[in-house]
PDB file of all heavy atoms in Angstrom:
ATOM      1  N   LEU A 171       0.852  -1.220  -0.025  1.00  0.00           N
ATOM      2  CA  LEU A 171       0.031   0.001  -0.023  1.00  0.00           C
ATOM      3  C   LEU A 171       0.868   1.280   0.064  1.00  0.00           C
ATOM      4  O   LEU A 171       1.596   1.503   0.942  1.00  0.00           O
ATOM      5  CB  LEU A 171      -0.941  -0.015   1.201  1.00  0.00           C
ATOM      6  CG  LEU A 171      -1.707  -1.293   1.442  1.00  0.00           C
ATOM      7  CD1 LEU A 171      -2.475  -1.215   2.782  1.00  0.00           C
ATOM      8  CD2 LEU A 171      -2.554  -1.529   0.304  1.00  0.00           C
ATOM      9  N   LEU A 172       0.849   1.964  -1.113  1.00  0.00           N
ATOM     10  CA  LEU A 172       1.706   3.158  -1.225  1.00  0.00           C
ATOM     11  C   LEU A 172       1.034   4.405  -0.725  1.00  0.00           C
ATOM     12  O   LEU A 172      -0.178   4.527  -0.580  1.00  0.00           O
ATOM     13  CB  LEU A 172       2.114   3.303  -2.718  1.00  0.00           C
ATOM     14  CG  LEU A 172       2.791   2.118  -3.365  1.00  0.00           C
ATOM     15  CD1 LEU A 172       3.219   2.477  -4.788  1.00  0.00           C
ATOM     16  CD2 LEU A 172       4.020   1.720  -2.608  1.00  0.00           C
ATOM     17  N   GLN A 173       1.841   5.391  -0.393  1.00  0.00           N
ATOM     18  CA  GLN A 173       1.445   6.695   0.089  1.00  0.00           C
ATOM     19  C   GLN A 173       2.025   7.814  -0.786  1.00  0.00           C
ATOM     20  O   GLN A 173       2.874   7.572  -1.608  1.00  0.00           O
ATOM     21  CB  GLN A 173       1.880   6.830   1.552  1.00  0.00           C
ATOM     22  CG  GLN A 173       1.269   5.822   2.500  1.00  0.00           C
ATOM     23  CD  GLN A 173       1.978   5.678   3.804  1.00  0.00           C
ATOM     24  OE1 GLN A 173       2.529   4.651   4.130  1.00  0.00           O
ATOM     25  NE2 GLN A 173       1.924   6.704   4.639  1.00  0.00           N
ATOM     26  N   LEU A 174       1.572   9.007  -0.434  1.00  0.00           N
ATOM     27  CA  LEU A 174       2.158  10.199  -1.075  1.00  0.00           C
ATOM     28  C   LEU A 174       3.481  10.506  -0.459  1.00  0.00           C
ATOM     29  O   LEU A 174       3.573  10.719   0.779  1.00  0.00           O
ATOM     30  CB  LEU A 174       1.255  11.409  -1.020  1.00  0.00           C
ATOM     31  CG  LEU A 174      -0.180  11.216  -1.619  1.00  0.00           C
ATOM     32  CD1 LEU A 174      -0.984  12.503  -1.326  1.00  0.00           C
ATOM     33  CD2 LEU A 174      -0.023  10.966  -3.125  1.00  0.00           C
ATOM     34  N   GLU A 175       4.555  10.648  -1.220  1.00  0.00           N
ATOM     35  CA  GLU A 175       5.828  10.900  -0.668  1.00  0.00           C
ATOM     36  C   GLU A 175       5.909  12.235   0.139  1.00  0.00           C
ATOM     37  O   GLU A 175       6.656  12.335   1.046  1.00  0.00           O
ATOM     38  CB  GLU A 175       6.871  10.901  -1.764  1.00  0.00           C
ATOM     39  CG  GLU A 175       8.316  10.951  -1.334  1.00  0.00           C
ATOM     40  CD  GLU A 175       9.382  10.931  -2.403  1.00  0.00           C
ATOM     41  OE1 GLU A 175       9.579   9.875  -2.925  1.00  0.00           O
ATOM     42  OE2 GLU A 175       9.865  12.046  -2.836  1.00  0.00           O
ATOM     43  N   HIS A 176       5.099  13.154  -0.307  1.00  0.00           N
ATOM     44  CA  HIS A 176       5.122  14.503   0.306  1.00  0.00           C
ATOM     45  C   HIS A 176       4.137  14.620   1.487  1.00  0.00           C
ATOM     46  O   HIS A 176       4.022  15.619   2.186  1.00  0.00           O
ATOM     47  CB  HIS A 176       4.825  15.597  -0.671  1.00  0.00           C
ATOM     48  CG  HIS A 176       3.440  15.390  -1.369  1.00  0.00           C
ATOM     49  ND1 HIS A 176       3.317  14.653  -2.559  1.00  0.00           N
ATOM     50  CD2 HIS A 176       2.235  15.887  -1.033  1.00  0.00           C
ATOM     51  CE1 HIS A 176       2.008  14.683  -2.864  1.00  0.00           C
ATOM     52  NE2 HIS A 176       1.298  15.422  -2.022  1.00  0.00           N
ATOM     53  N   ASP A 177       3.395  13.516   1.812  1.00  0.00           N
ATOM     54  CA  ASP A 177       2.499  13.531   2.891  1.00  0.00           C
ATOM     55  C   ASP A 177       3.198  13.559   4.239  1.00  0.00           C
ATOM     56  O   ASP A 177       4.305  13.003   4.434  1.00  0.00           O
ATOM     57  CB  ASP A 177       1.581  12.337   2.893  1.00  0.00           C
ATOM     58  CG  ASP A 177       0.499  12.333   3.902  1.00  0.00           C
ATOM     59  OD1 ASP A 177      -0.505  13.077   3.686  1.00  0.00           O
ATOM     60  OD2 ASP A 177       0.657  11.700   4.909  1.00  0.00           O
ATOM     61  N   SER A 178       2.653  14.315   5.181  1.00  0.00           N
ATOM     62  CA  SER A 178       3.295  14.453   6.476  1.00  0.00           C
ATOM     63  C   SER A 178       3.552  13.157   7.203  1.00  0.00           C
ATOM     64  O   SER A 178       4.534  12.928   7.930  1.00  0.00           O
ATOM     65  CB  SER A 178       2.578  15.456   7.383  1.00  0.00           C
ATOM     66  OG  SER A 178       1.196  14.896   7.649  1.00  0.00           O
ATOM     67  N   SER A 179       2.633  12.180   7.043  1.00  0.00           N
ATOM     68  CA  SER A 179       2.770  10.886   7.705  1.00  0.00           C
ATOM     69  C   SER A 179       4.035  10.165   7.234  1.00  0.00           C
ATOM     70  O   SER A 179       4.749   9.456   8.005  1.00  0.00           O
ATOM     71  CB  SER A 179       1.576   9.956   7.497  1.00  0.00           C
ATOM     72  OG  SER A 179       0.447  10.474   8.090  1.00  0.00           O
ATOM     73  N   PHE A 180       4.258  10.263   5.911  1.00  0.00           N
ATOM     74  CA  PHE A 180       5.479   9.695   5.347  1.00  0.00           C
ATOM     75  C   PHE A 180       6.722  10.442   5.713  1.00  0.00           C
ATOM     76  O   PHE A 180       7.781   9.924   6.086  1.00  0.00           O
ATOM     77  CB  PHE A 180       5.363   9.526   3.862  1.00  0.00           C
ATOM     78  CG  PHE A 180       6.515   8.794   3.197  1.00  0.00           C
ATOM     79  CD1 PHE A 180       6.375   7.448   3.004  1.00  0.00           C
ATOM     80  CD2 PHE A 180       7.601   9.474   2.728  1.00  0.00           C
ATOM     81  CE1 PHE A 180       7.447   6.746   2.384  1.00  0.00           C
ATOM     82  CE2 PHE A 180       8.630   8.821   2.155  1.00  0.00           C
ATOM     83  CZ  PHE A 180       8.573   7.382   1.964  1.00  0.00           C
ATOM     84  N   GLN A 181       6.650  11.802   5.627  1.00  0.00           N
ATOM     85  CA  GLN A 181       7.829  12.637   5.805  1.00  0.00           C
ATOM     86  C   GLN A 181       8.233  12.626   7.295  1.00  0.00           C
ATOM     87  O   GLN A 181       9.457  12.664   7.624  1.00  0.00           O
ATOM     88  CB  GLN A 181       7.530  14.036   5.335  1.00  0.00           C
ATOM     89  CG  GLN A 181       7.414  14.220   3.893  1.00  0.00           C
ATOM     90  CD  GLN A 181       8.680  14.024   3.187  1.00  0.00           C
ATOM     91  OE1 GLN A 181       9.797  14.331   3.625  1.00  0.00           O
ATOM     92  NE2 GLN A 181       8.737  13.494   1.910  1.00  0.00           N
ATOM     93  N   GLN A 182       7.330  12.794   8.188  1.00  0.00           N
ATOM     94  CA  GLN A 182       7.608  12.985   9.567  1.00  0.00           C
ATOM     95  C   GLN A 182       7.642  11.713  10.429  1.00  0.00           C
ATOM     96  O   GLN A 182       8.219  11.667  11.516  1.00  0.00           O
ATOM     97  CB  GLN A 182       6.624  13.952  10.172  1.00  0.00           C
ATOM     98  CG  GLN A 182       6.581  15.283   9.427  1.00  0.00           C
ATOM     99  CD  GLN A 182       7.809  16.102   9.577  1.00  0.00           C
ATOM    100  OE1 GLN A 182       8.540  15.974  10.612  1.00  0.00           O
ATOM    101  NE2 GLN A 182       8.167  16.910   8.623  1.00  0.00           N
ATOM    102  N   HIS A 183       6.915  10.625  10.019  1.00  0.00           N
ATOM    103  CA  HIS A 183       6.684   9.491  10.852  1.00  0.00           C
ATOM    104  C   HIS A 183       7.119   8.150  10.219  1.00  0.00           C
ATOM    105  O   HIS A 183       6.497   7.152  10.500  1.00  0.00           O
ATOM    106  CB  HIS A 183       5.270   9.417  11.331  1.00  0.00           C
ATOM    107  CG  HIS A 183       4.753  10.659  11.970  1.00  0.00           C
ATOM    108  ND1 HIS A 183       5.278  11.194  13.084  1.00  0.00           N
ATOM    109  CD2 HIS A 183       3.753  11.560  11.594  1.00  0.00           C
ATOM    110  CE1 HIS A 183       4.663  12.370  13.387  1.00  0.00           C
ATOM    111  NE2 HIS A 183       3.740  12.553  12.503  1.00  0.00           N
ATOM    112  N   SER A 184       8.142   8.189   9.377  1.00  0.00           N
ATOM    113  CA  SER A 184       8.565   6.968   8.759  1.00  0.00           C
ATOM    114  C   SER A 184      10.115   6.995   8.679  1.00  0.00           C
ATOM    115  O   SER A 184      10.754   7.992   8.792  1.00  0.00           O
ATOM    116  CB  SER A 184       8.004   6.778   7.263  1.00  0.00           C
ATOM    117  OG  SER A 184       8.838   7.451   6.339  1.00  0.00           O
ATOM    118  N   PRO A 185      10.715   5.736   8.483  1.00  0.00           N
ATOM    119  CA  PRO A 185      12.187   5.656   8.451  1.00  0.00           C
ATOM    120  C   PRO A 185      12.764   5.934   7.071  1.00  0.00           C
ATOM    121  O   PRO A 185      13.967   5.887   6.887  1.00  0.00           O
ATOM    122  CB  PRO A 185      12.409   4.193   8.852  1.00  0.00           C
ATOM    123  CG  PRO A 185      11.264   3.480   8.371  1.00  0.00           C
ATOM    124  CD  PRO A 185      10.102   4.453   8.538  1.00  0.00           C
ATOM    125  N   PHE A 186      11.895   6.246   6.089  1.00  0.00           N
ATOM    126  CA  PHE A 186      12.340   6.423   4.693  1.00  0.00           C
ATOM    127  C   PHE A 186      12.376   7.916   4.330  1.00  0.00           C
ATOM    128  O   PHE A 186      11.490   8.671   4.726  1.00  0.00           O
ATOM    129  CB  PHE A 186      11.426   5.662   3.710  1.00  0.00           C
ATOM    130  CG  PHE A 186      11.268   4.227   4.100  1.00  0.00           C
ATOM    131  CD1 PHE A 186      10.052   3.658   4.577  1.00  0.00           C
ATOM    132  CD2 PHE A 186      12.323   3.323   3.859  1.00  0.00           C
ATOM    133  CE1 PHE A 186       9.945   2.402   4.935  1.00  0.00           C
ATOM    134  CE2 PHE A 186      12.227   1.987   4.128  1.00  0.00           C
ATOM    135  CZ  PHE A 186      10.997   1.509   4.738  1.00  0.00           C
ATOM    136  N   ASP A 187      13.346   8.209   3.536  1.00  0.00           N
ATOM    137  CA  ASP A 187      13.478   9.566   2.943  1.00  0.00           C
ATOM    138  C   ASP A 187      12.603   9.785   1.704  1.00  0.00           C
ATOM    139  O   ASP A 187      12.053  10.811   1.406  1.00  0.00           O
ATOM    140  CB  ASP A 187      14.955   9.957   2.639  1.00  0.00           C
ATOM    141  CG  ASP A 187      15.780  10.047   3.887  1.00  0.00           C
ATOM    142  OD1 ASP A 187      15.249  10.501   4.916  1.00  0.00           O
ATOM    143  OD2 ASP A 187      16.978   9.663   3.814  1.00  0.00           O
ATOM    144  N   THR A 188      12.529   8.637   0.873  1.00  0.00           N
ATOM    145  CA  THR A 188      11.813   8.737  -0.356  1.00  0.00           C
ATOM    146  C   THR A 188      10.949   7.475  -0.504  1.00  0.00           C
ATOM    147  O   THR A 188      11.157   6.439   0.160  1.00  0.00           O
ATOM    148  CB  THR A 188      12.700   8.769  -1.558  1.00  0.00           C
ATOM    149  OG1 THR A 188      13.437   7.594  -1.680  1.00  0.00           O
ATOM    150  CG2 THR A 188      13.666  10.043  -1.453  1.00  0.00           C
ATOM    151  N   MET A 189       9.986   7.531  -1.328  1.00  0.00           N
ATOM    152  CA  MET A 189       9.113   6.371  -1.608  1.00  0.00           C
ATOM    153  C   MET A 189       9.922   5.251  -2.276  1.00  0.00           C
ATOM    154  O   MET A 189       9.679   4.013  -2.051  1.00  0.00           O
ATOM    155  CB  MET A 189       7.909   6.740  -2.466  1.00  0.00           C
ATOM    156  CG  MET A 189       6.975   5.585  -2.778  1.00  0.00           C
ATOM    157  SD  MET A 189       6.287   4.809  -1.238  1.00  0.00           S
ATOM    158  CE  MET A 189       5.381   6.162  -0.590  1.00  0.00           C
ATOM    159  N   THR A 190      10.957   5.647  -3.116  1.00  0.00           N
ATOM    160  CA  THR A 190      11.714   4.658  -3.739  1.00  0.00           C
ATOM    161  C   THR A 190      12.491   3.817  -2.653  1.00  0.00           C
ATOM    162  O   THR A 190      12.697   2.598  -2.853  1.00  0.00           O
ATOM    163  CB  THR A 190      12.792   5.345  -4.700  1.00  0.00           C
ATOM    164  OG1 THR A 190      12.057   6.084  -5.649  1.00  0.00           O
ATOM    165  CG2 THR A 190      13.642   4.283  -5.303  1.00  0.00           C
ATOM    166  N   ASP A 191      12.944   4.422  -1.628  1.00  0.00           N
ATOM    167  CA  ASP A 191      13.567   3.646  -0.589  1.00  0.00           C
ATOM    168  C   ASP A 191      12.616   2.480   0.033  1.00  0.00           C
ATOM    169  O   ASP A 191      13.074   1.399   0.265  1.00  0.00           O
ATOM    170  CB  ASP A 191      13.974   4.577   0.638  1.00  0.00           C
ATOM    171  CG  ASP A 191      15.013   5.611   0.286  1.00  0.00           C
ATOM    172  OD1 ASP A 191      15.761   5.328  -0.661  1.00  0.00           O
ATOM    173  OD2 ASP A 191      15.087   6.598   0.954  1.00  0.00           O
ATOM    174  N   PHE A 192      11.376   2.884   0.204  1.00  0.00           N
ATOM    175  CA  PHE A 192      10.382   1.852   0.595  1.00  0.00           C
ATOM    176  C   PHE A 192      10.221   0.788  -0.442  1.00  0.00           C
ATOM    177  O   PHE A 192      10.166  -0.431  -0.099  1.00  0.00           O
ATOM    178  CB  PHE A 192       9.054   2.543   0.872  1.00  0.00           C
ATOM    179  CG  PHE A 192       7.961   1.545   1.262  1.00  0.00           C
ATOM    180  CD1 PHE A 192       7.968   0.722   2.349  1.00  0.00           C
ATOM    181  CD2 PHE A 192       6.817   1.542   0.353  1.00  0.00           C
ATOM    182  CE1 PHE A 192       6.871  -0.104   2.561  1.00  0.00           C
ATOM    183  CE2 PHE A 192       5.769   0.692   0.658  1.00  0.00           C
ATOM    184  CZ  PHE A 192       5.850  -0.096   1.723  1.00  0.00           C
ATOM    185  N   LEU A 193      10.115   1.178  -1.673  1.00  0.00           N
ATOM    186  CA  LEU A 193       9.931   0.209  -2.774  1.00  0.00           C
ATOM    187  C   LEU A 193      11.159  -0.780  -2.799  1.00  0.00           C
ATOM    188  O   LEU A 193      10.919  -2.032  -3.050  1.00  0.00           O
ATOM    189  CB  LEU A 193       9.889   0.904  -4.105  1.00  0.00           C
ATOM    190  CG  LEU A 193       8.728   1.952  -4.334  1.00  0.00           C
ATOM    191  CD1 LEU A 193       8.855   2.530  -5.692  1.00  0.00           C
ATOM    192  CD2 LEU A 193       7.381   1.297  -4.153  1.00  0.00           C
ATOM    193  N   LYS A 194      12.340  -0.343  -2.613  1.00  0.00           N
ATOM    194  CA  LYS A 194      13.506  -1.193  -2.622  1.00  0.00           C
ATOM    195  C   LYS A 194      13.416  -2.229  -1.467  1.00  0.00           C
ATOM    196  O   LYS A 194      13.681  -3.433  -1.738  1.00  0.00           O
ATOM    197  CB  LYS A 194      14.799  -0.363  -2.370  1.00  0.00           C
ATOM    198  CG  LYS A 194      15.197   0.540  -3.533  1.00  0.00           C
ATOM    199  CD  LYS A 194      16.429   1.300  -3.217  1.00  0.00           C
ATOM    200  CE  LYS A 194      16.858   2.211  -4.374  1.00  0.00           C
ATOM    201  NZ  LYS A 194      18.011   3.115  -3.978  1.00  0.00           N
ATOM    202  N   VAL A 195      13.038  -1.834  -0.340  1.00  0.00           N
ATOM    203  CA  VAL A 195      12.945  -2.786   0.819  1.00  0.00           C
ATOM    204  C   VAL A 195      11.884  -3.819   0.513  1.00  0.00           C
ATOM    205  O   VAL A 195      12.144  -4.980   0.732  1.00  0.00           O
ATOM    206  CB  VAL A 195      12.640  -2.007   2.131  1.00  0.00           C
ATOM    207  CG1 VAL A 195      12.224  -2.922   3.255  1.00  0.00           C
ATOM    208  CG2 VAL A 195      13.772  -1.120   2.499  1.00  0.00           C
ATOM    209  N   VAL A 196      10.721  -3.378   0.031  1.00  0.00           N
ATOM    210  CA  VAL A 196       9.660  -4.348  -0.220  1.00  0.00           C
ATOM    211  C   VAL A 196       9.971  -5.354  -1.292  1.00  0.00           C
ATOM    212  O   VAL A 196       9.753  -6.557  -1.139  1.00  0.00           O
ATOM    213  CB  VAL A 196       8.326  -3.592  -0.524  1.00  0.00           C
ATOM    214  CG1 VAL A 196       7.216  -4.559  -0.948  1.00  0.00           C
ATOM    215  CG2 VAL A 196       7.898  -2.718   0.619  1.00  0.00           C
ATOM    216  N   ILE A 197      10.442  -4.876  -2.384  1.00  0.00           N
ATOM    217  CA  ILE A 197      10.723  -5.797  -3.522  1.00  0.00           C
ATOM    218  C   ILE A 197      11.895  -6.741  -3.130  1.00  0.00           C
ATOM    219  O   ILE A 197      11.880  -7.913  -3.460  1.00  0.00           O
ATOM    220  CB  ILE A 197      11.063  -5.000  -4.784  1.00  0.00           C
ATOM    221  CG1 ILE A 197       9.798  -4.297  -5.311  1.00  0.00           C
ATOM    222  CG2 ILE A 197      11.647  -5.896  -5.874  1.00  0.00           C
ATOM    223  CD1 ILE A 197       9.969  -3.386  -6.517  1.00  0.00           C
ATOM    224  N   GLU A 198      12.867  -6.212  -2.479  1.00  0.00           N
ATOM    225  CA  GLU A 198      13.987  -7.088  -1.998  1.00  0.00           C
ATOM    226  C   GLU A 198      13.458  -8.251  -1.087  1.00  0.00           C
ATOM    227  O   GLU A 198      13.819  -9.359  -1.120  1.00  0.00           O
ATOM    228  CB  GLU A 198      15.098  -6.286  -1.332  1.00  0.00           C
ATOM    229  CG  GLU A 198      16.305  -7.130  -0.878  1.00  0.00           C
ATOM    230  CD  GLU A 198      17.412  -6.277  -0.260  1.00  0.00           C
ATOM    231  OE1 GLU A 198      17.318  -5.073  -0.232  1.00  0.00           O
ATOM    232  OE2 GLU A 198      18.417  -6.870   0.255  1.00  0.00           O
ATOM    233  N   GLY A 199      12.584  -7.819  -0.086  1.00  0.00           N
ATOM    234  CA  GLY A 199      12.087  -8.740   0.873  1.00  0.00           C
ATOM    235  C   GLY A 199      11.166  -9.790   0.152  1.00  0.00           C
ATOM    236  O   GLY A 199      11.168 -10.928   0.520  1.00  0.00           O
ATOM    237  N   PHE A 200      10.378  -9.337  -0.802  1.00  0.00           N
ATOM    238  CA  PHE A 200       9.596 -10.238  -1.600  1.00  0.00           C
ATOM    239  C   PHE A 200      10.412 -11.225  -2.338  1.00  0.00           C
ATOM    240  O   PHE A 200      10.133 -12.454  -2.392  1.00  0.00           O
ATOM    241  CB  PHE A 200       8.654  -9.442  -2.509  1.00  0.00           C
ATOM    242  CG  PHE A 200       7.859 -10.241  -3.466  1.00  0.00           C
ATOM    243  CD1 PHE A 200       6.743 -10.913  -3.021  1.00  0.00           C
ATOM    244  CD2 PHE A 200       8.232 -10.406  -4.823  1.00  0.00           C
ATOM    245  CE1 PHE A 200       5.957 -11.698  -3.952  1.00  0.00           C
ATOM    246  CE2 PHE A 200       7.479 -11.243  -5.644  1.00  0.00           C
ATOM    247  CZ  PHE A 200       6.358 -11.829  -5.216  1.00  0.00           C
ATOM    248  N   ALA A 201      11.444 -10.752  -2.999  1.00  0.00           N
ATOM    249  CA  ALA A 201      12.348 -11.632  -3.854  1.00  0.00           C
ATOM    250  C   ALA A 201      12.987 -12.730  -2.953  1.00  0.00           C
ATOM    251  O   ALA A 201      13.155 -13.821  -3.359  1.00  0.00           O
ATOM    252  CB  ALA A 201      13.323 -10.786  -4.577  1.00  0.00           C
ATOM    253  N   LYS A 202      13.340 -12.347  -1.733  1.00  0.00           N
ATOM    254  CA  LYS A 202      14.117 -13.280  -0.833  1.00  0.00           C
ATOM    255  C   LYS A 202      13.150 -14.273  -0.192  1.00  0.00           C
ATOM    256  O   LYS A 202      13.523 -15.461   0.011  1.00  0.00           O
ATOM    257  CB  LYS A 202      14.799 -12.476   0.252  1.00  0.00           C
ATOM    258  CG  LYS A 202      15.991 -11.709  -0.299  1.00  0.00           C
ATOM    259  CD  LYS A 202      16.700 -11.015   0.943  1.00  0.00           C
ATOM    260  CE  LYS A 202      17.960 -10.255   0.471  1.00  0.00           C
ATOM    261  NZ  LYS A 202      18.620  -9.553   1.685  1.00  0.00           N
ATOM    262  N   GLY A 203      11.939 -13.834   0.194  1.00  0.00           N
ATOM    263  CA  GLY A 203      11.062 -14.682   1.008  1.00  0.00           C
ATOM    264  C   GLY A 203       9.810 -15.309   0.347  1.00  0.00           C
ATOM    265  O   GLY A 203       9.513 -16.413   0.790  1.00  0.00           O
ATOM    266  N   ALA A 204       9.263 -14.668  -0.534  1.00  0.00           N
ATOM    267  CA  ALA A 204       7.914 -15.155  -1.088  1.00  0.00           C
ATOM    268  C   ALA A 204       8.108 -16.408  -1.951  1.00  0.00           C
ATOM    269  O   ALA A 204       9.115 -16.506  -2.696  1.00  0.00           O
ATOM    270  CB  ALA A 204       7.304 -14.086  -1.985  1.00  0.00           C
ATOM    271  N   PRO A 205       7.250 -17.377  -1.830  1.00  0.00           N
ATOM    272  CA  PRO A 205       7.293 -18.553  -2.739  1.00  0.00           C
ATOM    273  C   PRO A 205       7.281 -18.113  -4.192  1.00  0.00           C
ATOM    274  O   PRO A 205       6.704 -17.070  -4.549  1.00  0.00           O
ATOM    275  CB  PRO A 205       5.992 -19.291  -2.359  1.00  0.00           C
ATOM    276  CG  PRO A 205       5.724 -18.877  -0.928  1.00  0.00           C
ATOM    277  CD  PRO A 205       6.153 -17.414  -0.832  1.00  0.00           C
ATOM    278  N   GLY A 206       7.863 -18.893  -5.042  1.00  0.00           N
ATOM    279  CA  GLY A 206       8.045 -18.543  -6.463  1.00  0.00           C
ATOM    280  C   GLY A 206       6.720 -18.324  -7.219  1.00  0.00           C
ATOM    281  O   GLY A 206       6.772 -17.698  -8.264  1.00  0.00           O
ATOM    282  N   HIS A 207       5.590 -18.889  -6.742  1.00  0.00           N
ATOM    283  CA  HIS A 207       4.361 -18.720  -7.439  1.00  0.00           C
ATOM    284  C   HIS A 207       3.515 -17.488  -6.913  1.00  0.00           C
ATOM    285  O   HIS A 207       2.455 -17.300  -7.434  1.00  0.00           O
ATOM    286  CB  HIS A 207       3.492 -19.985  -7.375  1.00  0.00           C
ATOM    287  CG  HIS A 207       3.155 -20.435  -5.999  1.00  0.00           C
ATOM    288  ND1 HIS A 207       4.034 -20.805  -5.039  1.00  0.00           N
ATOM    289  CD2 HIS A 207       1.892 -20.459  -5.360  1.00  0.00           C
ATOM    290  CE1 HIS A 207       3.369 -21.163  -3.886  1.00  0.00           C
ATOM    291  NE2 HIS A 207       2.109 -20.904  -4.105  1.00  0.00           N
ATOM    292  N   HIS A 208       4.037 -16.864  -5.902  1.00  0.00           N
ATOM    293  CA  HIS A 208       3.307 -15.712  -5.308  1.00  0.00           C
ATOM    294  C   HIS A 208       3.661 -14.386  -6.135  1.00  0.00           C
ATOM    295  O   HIS A 208       4.755 -14.294  -6.725  1.00  0.00           O
ATOM    296  CB  HIS A 208       3.730 -15.480  -3.854  1.00  0.00           C
ATOM    297  CG  HIS A 208       3.065 -16.438  -2.892  1.00  0.00           C
ATOM    298  ND1 HIS A 208       2.756 -16.106  -1.637  1.00  0.00           N
ATOM    299  CD2 HIS A 208       2.608 -17.713  -3.107  1.00  0.00           C
ATOM    300  CE1 HIS A 208       2.187 -17.200  -1.011  1.00  0.00           C
ATOM    301  NE2 HIS A 208       2.131 -18.178  -1.912  1.00  0.00           N
TER     302      HIS A 208
END
């Protein structure tokens, strides 16, 4: 579930500087852990 990068919840209350940083973490975690048919 994505958010607006400029939204205050993302800017002030998250560990990421950009939405791309979040995308990297999610896709890397998916590639490492999800079954191949997911």
Side-chain angles (χ1 to χ4, degrees):
L171 308 176
L172 302 183
Q173 297 165 245
L174 300 176
E175 186 178 282
H176 59 272
D177 186 78
S178 62
S179 293
F180 186 90
Q181 290 291 326
Q182 305 292 328
H183 305 301
S184 88
F186 304 109
D187 293 326
T188 67
M189 183 55 65
T190 302
D191 295 336
F192 172 64
L193 300 178
K194 289 178 181 176
V195 169
V196 173
I197 291 177
E198 182 178 355
F200 174 78
K202 289 181 178 179
H207 62 293
H208 284 209

